[in-house]
Amino acid sequence: MLVYGTKAVIPAEVEIPSLRIIQEAELDDVERVKSCYEQLALIDEKRMNAVYHGQLYQNRMSKAFNKRVKPRRLTPGQLVLKKNFPHQDEAKGKFSPNWKGPYMVHRVLIGGVLILAEMDGDVWPKLINSDVVKRYYV
């Protein structure tokens, strides 16, 4: 009653009429049931439109991201430096070096995964992502 003498209606009641809205519109039972069935029939279409819109949005975002990605082409035998992360034991203090190595690429697996070997030939048991290495030029 605060809105100029009429009762307030929330937006959800406009989209899906409540009993109060139906009584105010003075619809009979047949028309009300018909409108409910029509709304139920449109729900699947609205859901499919939302899914389709979400897929288009994801495709646009992935294209925009992949435009700027530069693939790293590493081959076995190349020398690389491995990044030291602050949460690892190798990084001690703020003046510690950011990169460790050089290491040799032992194998390149699918998806940019590397198996590194030390310079003396010892192969690392852990797999390394190619995002955390950079080429080492001698």
Side-chain angles (χ1 to χ4, degrees):
M1 298 298 291
L2 297 176
V3 187
Y4 302 109
T6 61
K7 292 183 181 178
V9 178
I10 61 173
E13 286 183 327
V14 173
E15 184 69 30
I16 302 171
S18 66
L19 184 61
R20 179 173 61 119
I21 300 296
I22 291 170
Q23 286 176 350
E24 287 177 6
E26 297 176 357
L27 295 175
D28 61 348
D29 290 336
V30 176
E31 290 178 6
R32 185 174 59 82
V33 170
K34 238 185 237 185
S35 68
C36 287
Y37 279 131
E38 288 173 3
Q39 287 176 359
L40 287 175
L42 292 177
I43 286 177
D44 289 334
E45 185 178 341
K46 288 181 181 180
R47 283 184 186 154
M48 289 307 294
N49 284 339
V51 167
Y52 183 67
H53 179 72
Q55 289 173 346
L56 286 176
Y57 178 74
Q58 285 180 347
N59 288 340
R60 278 197 316 261
M61 294 305 288
S62 65
K63 282 181 187 177
F65 177 80
N66 290 336
K67 255 195 271 187
R68 298 181 187 271
V69 172
K70 295 179 184 176
R72 296 176 188 237
R73 309 249 184 246
L74 297 171
T75 58
Q78 283 183 333
L79 297 177
V80 294
L81 295 174
K82 185 182 84 64
K83 184 168 182 61
N84 277 346
F85 292 106
H87 63 275
Q88 293 177 336
D89 294 335
E90 302 159 354
K92 294 184 171 94
K94 77 178 193 182
F95 295 114
S96 65
N98 293 332
W99 297 92
K100 187 175 179 185
Y103 296 103
M104 189 170 33
V105 177
H106 182 68
R107 282 183 62 193
V108 179
L109 303 177
I110 297 172
V113 179
L114 303 174
I115 297 177
L116 298 181
E118 294 185 17
M119 294 304 289
D120 59 0
D122 295 336
V123 178
W124 274 34
K126 291 185 178 180
L127 302 176
I128 303 293
N129 194 340
S130 65
D131 292 342
V132 297
V133 298
K134 69 177 180 179
R135 294 257 333 252
Y136 177 71
Y137 298 98
V138 181

